[in-house]
Amino acid sequence: MLDKDRTFGVELEVVYKGNRRGENYYNRETLARSLNEAGVDLTSRYMQKGWSFARDGSIRGRGTEIRSPIMTFPTGLAEMKKVFEIVENQCRANYSCGFHVHIGADGITPVGAERLLDSYANIQDILQSILPITRWDNRYCRIHRAGQYQHDSLHGFPSLPNRYYAVNMEALNSHGTVEFRQYAGTVNGELATAWAEMCMGLYALSVEAEYTI
């Protein structure tokens, strides 16, 4: 069972629909207005209390990264679906976009982190079967194999060469989270929610229940 107190957050990379010559031309201002009208809390990303926009140099096209506040299950999933309903109308996702899920990792141990990395690696082939080929070994979400990681010398946590892996362990230091980076960009709230729940379930099974898939 998923821990209802476990925190999570998401990052949506999208590009806006339309162009300046078209009838339906969308941008950050139109999206922000629609989100505000729907009652979605928007604030500066530095406040971390509401949804926010951020620049992302990896996005090809006229786009943005949309970041959630810190949320909890299951109310956060309902809020996420609400945001996606608006985003889907004004945005789309192209090959350069990704959808990232951060899971709050308070209390995680080095052994738990190893189990999580190994579990993800063990189901990598299954996950790739539902992902587009552009996410199979993308330079922003590289894959790893079970046991193929180093350990940091200070705390003994497993580490990979950088944060651009399917499971980003560097986020432990910068955000106190484990980041899942491999899912393709999407504006479909049902698909995004299903992937977020999968990430939460994998974390719960590997870290909290102490299993390795």
Side-chain angles (χ1 to χ4, degrees), residues 21-37:
R21 296 181 297 278
E23 180 179 349
N24 295 319
Y25 174 70
Y26 299 106
N27 53 31
R28 180 178 297 195
E29 287 70 31
T30 62
L31 183 56
R33 183 166 59 249
S34 296
L35 289 169
N36 274 319
E37 290 173 353

Side-chain angles (χ1 to χ4, degrees), residues 16-194:
Y16 297 110
K17 292 180 180 178
N19 56 61
R20 293 184 184 277
R21 296 181 297 278
E23 180 179 349
N24 295 319
Y25 174 70
Y26 299 106
N27 53 31
R28 180 178 297 195
E29 287 70 31
T30 62
L31 183 56
R33 183 166 59 249
S34 296
L35 289 169
N36 274 319
E37 290 173 353
V40 176
D41 181 26
L42 287 177
T43 187
S44 165
R45 67 187 179 97
Y46 301 106
M47 298 292 290
Q48 297 183 334
K49 293 183 179 180
W51 291 79
S52 62
F53 299 99
R55 295 181 182 276
D56 190 310
S58 69
I59 300 174
R60 297 294 176 262
R62 193 173 54 85
T64 190
E65 179 180 276
I66 305 169
R67 296 179 177 178
S68 78
I70 298 172
M71 303 182 290
T72 55
F73 174 86
T75 55
L77 293 179
E79 183 177 349
M80 194 172 86
K81 285 183 179 179
K82 181 179 180 181
V83 169
F84 266 95
E85 289 175 0
I86 298 168
V87 171
E88 185 175 15
N89 183 56
Q90 300 191 21
C91 304
R92 59 184 178 84
N94 63 22
Y95 73 94
S96 70
C97 298
F99 173 65
H100 304 162
V101 178
H102 286 260
I103 306 297
D106 53 301
I108 194 172
T109 65
V111 174
E114 287 181 13
R115 282 196 300 266
L116 180 59
L117 282 175
D118 287 346
S119 291
Y120 194 96
N122 289 339
I123 60 173
Q124 183 69 70
D125 290 344
I126 297 173
L127 296 177
Q128 287 187 176
S129 72
I130 63 172
L131 295 172
I133 194 171
T134 54
R135 307 300 290 185
W136 285 13
D137 199 15
N138 187 297
R139 66 184 177 123
Y140 293 109
C141 54
R142 296 193 182 282
I143 62 174
H144 69 276
R145 297 301 177 190
Q148 292 184 348
Y149 39 75
Q150 304 296 317
H151 292 83
D152 71 62
S153 58
L154 184 59
H155 301 294
F157 276 89
S159 64
L160 295 164
N162 55 57
R163 69 187 180 94
Y164 296 116
Y165 277 78
V167 182
N168 170 24
M169 284 295 173
E170 286 193 9
L172 281 172
N173 295 323
S174 55
H175 302 292
T177 66
V178 173
E179 181 188 21
F180 295 83
R181 298 178 55 86
Q182 196 174 14
Y183 201 71
T186 182
V187 294
N188 185 312
E190 295 297 328
L191 293 178
T193 298

